[in-house]
Amino acid sequence: MDQVSAKPRVATVWLGGCSGCHMSFLDLDERLLEVAARMELVYSPILDVKHYPRGVDVALVEGAVANEDHVRHAWTIRERTKVVVSFGDCAVTGNVTALRNPLGSAEPVLQRAYVETAQRAPQIPYEPGIVPALLDEVKPLHQVIPVDLFLPGCPPSADLIHLALSELVAGRRPDLSGGRIRFG
Ligand code: SF4
């Protein structure tokens, strides 16, 4: 059973991204302590939590949806979270992760990454099934689940993350107008 907490329960999630958005999150530096005092981090790549908990208030979701595990994970997040934030350009648009889409399917990627590479490095054989099945088309998060807020940037700046998270844990929708957001 999940713990009952008076503080907003926050999750950060890493789907098909490079982890740069999470690095920018960590760039909050000393402000992490200030934000951490106002929330409970219940799920994140920086925690050793295996399963996405119920009753999450805010989730920052980095990365595009690129494989079948991502699809299942995205729906679990949606069902268990009040405010889902599309966190960074890969989540918002597909961005770098979607660069393979013009190839038309997952097959050329698998061939190059696992078959041809394995032939050059036979000590690392590819075993079908050891990685989740890739989707033929990488999708931004909102094309898979409903999203409540978009936080673009590659990555979003630490200042923008601080603004958004501070407002969200206070139960407010952040004001991202006035040129505060940018892509890239
Ligand atoms: Fe990495 Fe940029 Fe994608 Fe974030 S938006 S996961 S920094 S490529």
Side-chain angles (χ1 to χ4, degrees):
M1 181 179 293
D2 299 325
Q3 297 289 313
V4 175
S5 168
K7 294 179 181 177
R9 290 160 58 82
V10 174
T12 75
V13 181
W14 182 9
L15 299 182
C18 74
S19 86
C21 294
H22 273 83
M23 294 301 107
S24 195
F25 174 63
L26 295 178
D27 278 345
L28 287 172
D29 296 330
E30 69 277 7
R31 288 178 293 181
L32 279 172
L33 301 176
E34 167 241 312
V35 173
R38 291 186 279 128
M39 68 180 200
E40 181 186 2
L41 190 63
V42 294
Y43 183 90
S44 174
I46 61 173
L47 299 178
D48 187 22
V49 177
K50 305 300 184 200
H51 301 289
Y52 194 85
R54 297 183 186 279
V56 175
D57 293 296
V58 177
L60 304 181
V61 183
E62 171 191 320
V65 179
N67 65 42
E68 291 180 355
D69 272 6
H70 292 160
V71 174
R72 282 190 288 271
H73 200 22
W75 276 109
T76 300
I77 293 161
R78 181 65 279 177
E79 287 164 8
R80 299 181 178 182
T81 311
K82 288 182 191 160
V83 179
V84 174
V85 181
S86 203
F87 179 37
D89 284 354
C90 290
V92 174
T93 70
N95 196 34
V96 175
T97 315
L99 287 176
R100 70 172 169 85
N101 283 350
L103 296 174
S105 75
E107 189 56 30
V109 180
L110 289 169
Q111 280 292 325
R112 173 59 64 88
Y114 291 99
V115 178
E116 295 171 23
T117 303
Q119 285 167 354
R120 287 198 293 272
Q123 70 276 19
I124 316 172
Y126 169 55
E127 296 175 30
I130 63 170
V131 293
L134 296 184
L135 302 181
D136 283 331
E137 182 186 6
V138 174
K139 296 180 177 178
L141 186 63
H142 66 276
Q143 288 187 6
V144 177
I145 60 169
V147 164
D148 303 298
L149 187 73
F150 295 90
L151 208 59
C154 183
S157 69
D159 287 345
L160 183 64
I161 297 168
H162 181 252
L163 168 72
L165 199 52
S166 297
E167 290 295 281
L168 289 168
V169 298
R172 297 186 292 262
R173 188 178 179 86
D175 177 8
L176 301 179
S177 63
R180 285 196 171 96
I181 59 173
R182 58 162 178 75
F183 290 85

